[in-house]
Amino acid sequence: MKKIIIAIDGYSSCGKSTLAKGLAKALHLAYLDTGAMYRAVTLYLLNNNIDYNDLDAVAAALQQVSIHFERIHGQNHTFLNDVDVETEIRSMHVSEHVSPVSAISMVRKAMVQQQKAFGKRRNIVADGRDIGTVVFPDADLKIFLVADADVRTSRRHLELASKGIDAEWDDIYKNLTERDQIDSSRADSPLRKADDATVLDNTLLSEEEQLAITLEWVRLVRSEE
Ligand code: DC
């Protein structure tokens, strides 16, 4: 069967990673969580007290950052300089700083280069903000996920609670909407729907329903080839 790339973009906490993981499992594809990479860089800057407005310091920091992924008990774990940071990168503290950090062109350039290398073998599903527009403009299927902000906040609240991370609903709502604003308005590769992406509004859909719909889209894409 022909190797494929599936690109999933959308606003914060739209369920992109849930959908990407579901598709990866069903179709035996590798999963690339590009948001985790920006989160790992942000964590490095915060842990080392590096001011991200100081571009020389950010450039030096990027030389010290190495990110890789490992599967542990069936779960994707992000490693920063060989340390498992999967839980830390999801904290509210990182969420509060990741959008300005990911708006820095130098950071984007370094991450996109690694992401493109990851996609060389194809057979991957990647999620983020610029996957269909910049990272994999030749993806076989591009999905742009949207969902109501209140529903997204409640989902993120539950997700954080399940990881033992305590956060207020209002703080999560504020963080999501602020990140949407920064991610969509930055100068370098802002979040936007690729012209050839299909929009999926999953506000009223269960995980199973959104997976079933998109698996059908994959089937159609494959039958066209
Ligand atoms: O998907 P996420 O919420 O874990 O992503 C965290 C942040 O990283 C998001 O607010 C914007 C940034 N990001 C990006 O700029 N480009 C990507 N491809 C993925 C994430």
Side-chain angles (χ1 to χ4, degrees):
M1 200 175 280
K2 184 180 174 276
K3 292 184 170 183
I4 60 166
I5 293 185
I6 302 175
I8 304 176
D9 288 301
Y11 298 98
S12 293
S13 287
C14 263
K16 297 184 297 294
S17 70
T18 303
L19 176 59
K21 285 175 200 163
L23 288 170
K25 194 167 176 213
L27 300 165
H28 306 289
L29 306 175
Y31 167 48
L32 175 61
D33 178 352
T34 64
M37 298 173 70
Y38 292 98
R39 287 173 178 275
V41 171
T42 304
L43 181 66
Y44 183 88
L45 298 177
L46 292 172
N47 283 351
N48 292 282
N49 294 317
I50 296 166
D51 173 3
Y52 48 78
N53 295 308
D54 177 349
L55 294 185
D56 289 337
V58 173
L62 282 172
Q63 300 299 317
Q64 305 300 318
V65 169
S66 149
I67 300 165
H68 78 272
F69 297 101
E70 284 181 27
R71 298 280 296 167
I72 300 175
H73 304 305
Q75 304 290 328
N76 221 42
H77 282 240
T78 311
F79 283 73
L80 169 62
N81 295 337
D82 294 323
V83 176
D84 185 345
V85 292
E86 186 54 36
T87 304
E88 263 180 291
I89 59 169
R90 311 289 164 191
S91 71
M92 282 300 281
H93 189 44
V94 170
S95 294
E96 277 158 12
H97 294 278
V98 66
S99 279
V101 170
S102 62
I104 303 169
S105 285
M106 185 198 311
V107 172
R108 302 206 67 76
K109 204 168 162 213
M111 296 302 110
V112 169
Q113 192 182 19
Q114 290 177 38
Q115 291 155 14
K116 282 181 185 280
F118 199 92
K120 279 255 154 56
R121 292 170 289 132
R122 297 191 86 88
N123 262 357
I124 73 165
V125 49
D127 73 344
R129 306 293 187 290
D130 59 344
I131 308 302
T133 51
V134 175
V135 182
F136 301 126
D138 66 338
D140 303 270
L141 176 63
K142 299 182 186 177
I143 301 167
F144 193 82
L145 272 187
V146 297
D148 174 84
D150 283 352
V151 170
R152 290 191 277 140
T153 305
S154 297
R155 287 180 188 157
R156 176 61 70 128
H157 194 238
L158 269 177
E159 185 194 334
L160 290 175
S162 75
K163 289 180 178 160
I165 301 173
D166 195 21
E168 294 292 329
W169 197 96
D170 288 349
D171 293 340
I172 299 173
Y173 181 89
K174 189 165 170 279
N175 175 254
L176 293 189
T177 46
E178 276 176 6
R179 280 202 284 139
D180 287 349
Q181 208 276 325
I182 300 174
D183 297 345
S184 313
S185 61
R186 67 183 174 220
D188 189 343
S189 42
L191 166 65
R192 68 169 183 84
K193 185 184 100 56
D195 293 338
D196 50 351
T198 307
V199 176
L200 180 61
D201 183 338
N202 68 15
T203 305
L204 300 174
L205 297 179
S206 67
E207 289 176 24
E208 293 75 20
E209 286 167 333
Q210 74 165 356
L211 181 60
I213 291 168
T214 51
L215 279 173
E216 177 59 15
W217 291 352
V218 174
R219 200 188 61 74
L220 288 173
V221 162
R222 281 191 154 148
S223 67
E224 281 165 8
E225 282 156 1

